[in-house]
Amino acid sequence: MNANKFILIIALIATFVFSSCDDEPVDPQVLVESPPPCAEPFSFSVSPFIDGNKVRIEWDKTSGTGAWEIQYGIQGFSLGTGTTVNFNNASSLIGGLVSTIHYDFYIRTRCAAGQYSDWVGPVSPGSGVSSCADPTNLTAVRSATDETTATITWAAVGGVNSWQVQYGASGFVLGTGTILASSMPTKTISGLMADAGYEVYVRSNCAANQNSNWVGPVIIPPVGIMNDNSFFALMDGVEFVDVGAINVNPNSQLYGLPSIYIIATDVNNNDIEINISNDAVVGTEYFNTNETTDKFRFVFFKPLPTELQINTDGSLTVTERTATRIKGTFYFNAINEFDEITIISSGTFDVAIP
């Protein structure tokens, strides 16, 4: 075999290998970044050098899991190459430093075994960064005695005592809604129309020019319950209107655990399916991070040939659960056949358990 033939054979093999890899199906989970499993620390600061060789690390310890991780190194170091120290509520000092060296410090929450929040930093000795914590467990309930009012509630995080509520008609653009201030983690909205749907967002106010992200939307559906069940969703800002009876199966399974399976269908024969583990606890916002521990799963179907399915990226909060009823809010991203995010959905459900 001469050299030219040998080179040609090698080139053909390489082309086959690379083209085969390109044709491999792509896991949608790889393309969609899941939200962190817990909140990052906030009010993170590092003191000036003490005795020339140590610093005091400060952060808000009133929230979180009670476990944090500090990583530090020479200014400009890449995360993963620094020195890592595990901290708890009693930890405060890092020693063995040299005051003539410029350092960067980062901190993150240890959520569970092998799970972490995002990093906060870098922070140099004598400086700090104060992040404003997002509110959690946002709910909205229309009054049973006055259909023009609704009560919004949320959980305060990190000692925050000031918030803003923004609401508007379903599909409104953030910044164009009505904004109300609140000094308590609850607010009553009045003047609503009974036959209209609304979206509500909440954010924390930590200082005059320091706010958290807007959290939401949580949905206030129009008044009118069909078959004692209600299901409301927005699909890219367009209302998903269920038709007929909502299918509720209380005897299904989710990853081998007993669960409740809710299916709603609209006039175009699109389906939204939500499978919720019986282990889901009222008032806890769940995220999809691990199939063996996830408490819910979403699926969204459109009729062929444009059928869509979604991965399990999203969040769900059970706001009420009895032996005969389950109620909650949800948010998820839909993925098309090209593994692209094409639809963002959020909504509420309030269904009887047969």
Side-chain angles (χ1 to χ4, degrees), residues 111-129:
C111 312
Q115 295 184 331
Y116 303 90
S117 74
D118 290 334
W119 286 105
V120 174
V123 171
S124 302
S127 63
V129 56

Side-chain angles (χ1 to χ4, degrees), residues 4-333:
N4 289 336
K5 288 184 178 179
F6 179 76
I7 293 172
L8 177 60
I9 291 172
I10 295 298
L12 289 173
I13 293 173
T15 301
F16 174 77
V17 170
F18 285 116
S19 63
S20 297
C21 292
D22 288 341
D23 291 337
E24 285 293 317
V26 180
D27 185 352
Q29 294 279 23
V30 176
L31 298 176
V32 180
E33 183 179 352
S34 298
C38 66
E40 63 192 38
F42 53 100
S43 299
F44 175 46
S45 65
V46 179
S47 74
F49 283 100
I50 302 170
D51 298 330
N53 64 354
K54 56 181 172 286
V55 293
R56 184 178 301 278
I57 307 296
E58 301 285 353
W59 71 99
D60 192 309
K61 301 176 182 178
T62 61
S63 63
T65 63
W68 295 268
E69 187 176 275
I70 305 288
Q71 189 171 155
Y72 67 95
I74 295 175
Q75 193 172 70
F77 81 97
S78 299
L79 276 167
T81 65
T83 300
T84 298
V85 183
N86 291 323
F87 266 45
N88 57 37
N89 282 321
S91 308
S92 60
L93 294 175
I94 289 181
L97 306 175
V98 179
S99 61
T100 57
I101 294 177
H102 298 288
Y103 293 93
D104 281 341
F105 291 81
Y106 294 81
I107 189 172
R108 66 180 178 180
T109 305
R110 294 169 59 197
C111 312
Q115 295 184 331
Y116 303 90
S117 74
D118 290 334
W119 286 105
V120 174
V123 171
S124 302
S127 63
V129 56
S130 180
S131 55
C132 193
D134 294 343
T136 62
N137 298 337
L138 178 60
T139 66
V141 179
R142 198 186 285 262
S143 171
T145 58
D146 182 358
E147 296 172 345
T148 66
T149 67
T151 300
I152 316 304
T153 61
W154 58 92
V157 178
V160 177
N161 57 16
S162 179
W163 298 269
Q164 287 178 313
V165 176
Q166 184 173 172
Y167 72 97
S170 295
F172 86 99
V173 178
L174 267 173
T176 65
T178 301
I179 296 179
L180 305 174
S182 180
S183 59
M184 298 291 290
T186 183
K187 189 68 177 180
T188 298
I189 298 175
S190 58
L192 303 178
M193 298 176 61
D195 59 352
Y198 296 86
E199 294 180 36
V200 183
Y201 296 80
V202 176
R203 71 178 179 183
S204 303
N205 305 136
C206 298
N209 296 307
Q210 186 181 27
N211 303 306
S212 75
N213 299 311
W214 285 108
V215 174
V218 63
I219 308 299
I220 305 174
V223 174
I225 297 178
M226 182 180 295
N227 296 327
D228 199 30
N229 289 334
S230 66
F231 187 97
F232 181 82
L234 288 176
M235 305 301 288
D236 266 352
V238 179
E239 286 194 31
F240 175 100
V241 181
D242 58 276
V243 295
I246 297 172
N247 182 17
V248 181
N249 179 4
N251 301 310
S252 61
Q253 287 196 332
L254 173 66
Y255 308 125
L257 295 175
S259 66
I260 299 171
Y261 205 12
I262 304 169
I263 303 175
T265 305
D266 70 4
V267 68
N268 296 315
N269 210 29
N270 302 315
D271 286 346
I272 294 180
E273 305 178 9
I274 306 177
N275 199 354
I276 309 167
S277 170
N278 280 345
D279 290 341
V281 178
V282 172
T284 300
E285 183 176 19
Y286 292 102
F287 297 94
N288 290 97
T289 55
N290 187 327
E291 283 192 1
T292 60
T293 57
D294 286 346
K295 300 300 183 184
F296 68 92
R297 183 173 183 271
F298 294 119
V299 178
F300 175 57
F301 286 112
K302 295 183 72 173
L304 291 172
T306 57
E307 179 177 287
L308 292 176
Q309 297 188 26
I310 70 115
N311 70 342
T312 51
D313 179 37
S315 65
L316 180 141
T317 302
V318 178
T319 58
E320 181 182 325
R321 171 67 197 281
T322 67
T324 59
R325 192 152 209 88
I326 187 166
K327 183 176 181 180
T329 62
F330 63 87
Y331 171 88
F332 67 79
N333 293 331

